[in-house]
Amino acid sequence: MRAVLASRNAHKARELERLLPGWRIDVLAADDYPPETGATYYENASGKALFARGRAPAEAWALGEDSGIEVDGLGGGPGVTSSRSAAGDEVGWLLGALDGVEDEGRRARYVSELVAIGPDGKELRGTGTLSGRIAHGSSGSEGFGFDPVFVPDGEERTVAELGDEWKARHSHRASAARELLRQTG
Ligand code: IMP
């Protein structure tokens, strides 16, 4: 199965390819991505999928994914505005925003919403979360974004230390992909 993902994030495409066995995922080459101004992850993910649908080859699936991090000490933010809030320095921004915040305030979850639109216009959708806490310092080199400071529940190490294999089994994106795959029969 061939799919085209509307994202500037090549990490996401590689993660998704691993999570959707048998799918070949190409990143859509476009300079004019629509702004991510939706009120929900779903709105943004389906906006990206529709954008890809209009540009993907007719026989390919079009994929859109939107994700974010919700931190208790930030009132559940930055959530759907995560990419804009952190502006390319996820780790520095989050450690700064949580300066002086302890314990319960450092509880957090990743959320991923995945939307696929088929050649016939059929829409599939999957949602996943991963709960954990924000560490006081950064460690590890795998993954991307907030992974060097995100310690999943039941683990002592960050996602960036646990690595890509771990992420492929347990991440928010892995759960969303599993839900989507169940619908493909
Ligand atoms: P977007 O889905 O491309 O809008 O990205 C949302 C924000 O969440 C970006 O700052 C990403 O770096 C971050 N993010 C999304 N998924 C992950 C992940 O799996 N690990 C770490 N950061 C993530």
Side-chain angles (χ1 to χ4, degrees):
M1 200 119 86
R2 186 171 172 210
V4 173
L5 174 72
S7 173
R8 290 197 178 88
N9 186 338
H11 285 280
K12 274 191 190 177
R14 295 292 73 80
E15 280 191 19
L16 284 169
E17 205 158 48
R18 192 169 192 159
L19 298 170
L20 297 167
W23 291 48
R24 191 189 109 201
I25 300 179
D26 294 315
V27 174
L28 183 71
D31 303 324
D32 55 343
Y33 278 103
E36 292 180 26
T37 50
T40 62
Y41 301 106
Y42 172 72
E43 241 179 88
N44 283 337
S46 64
K48 291 181 209 178
L50 279 170
F51 181 77
R53 180 70 279 156
R55 289 158 178 78
E59 73 285 3
W61 281 70
L63 283 177
E65 197 263 4
D66 197 49
S67 42
I69 194 166
E70 301 176 350
V71 185
D72 288 358
L74 303 178
V80 76
T81 65
S82 295
S83 53
R84 276 168 281 157
S85 305
D89 177 19
E90 281 90 346
V91 167
W93 176 83
L94 188 53
L95 289 178
L98 290 179
D99 193 24
V101 175
E102 297 296 332
D103 305 328
E104 288 306 305
R106 300 187 87 88
R107 290 215 47 78
R109 66 214 55 80
Y110 279 135
V111 182
S112 166
E113 183 83 53
L114 189 56
V115 171
I117 304 176
D120 58 358
K122 176 180 170 184
E123 182 188 288
L124 305 178
R125 178 180 171 182
T127 308
T129 60
L130 176 69
S131 296
R133 65 184 161 80
I134 306 304
H136 285 272
S138 163
S139 37
S141 57
E142 293 191 46
F144 65 93
F146 301 101
D147 288 342
V149 291
F150 191 97
V151 180
D153 285 345
E155 302 289 345
E156 294 302 324
R157 293 181 296 162
T158 67
V159 173
E161 291 176 297
L162 290 163
D164 297 338
E165 292 284 342
W166 187 95
K167 219 176 163 187
R169 286 198 303 277
H170 303 284
S171 77
H172 47 313
R173 205 164 286 109
S175 304
R178 274 195 293 271
E179 191 183 344
L180 193 136
L181 275 181
R182 278 196 293 272
Q183 298 158 54
T184 63

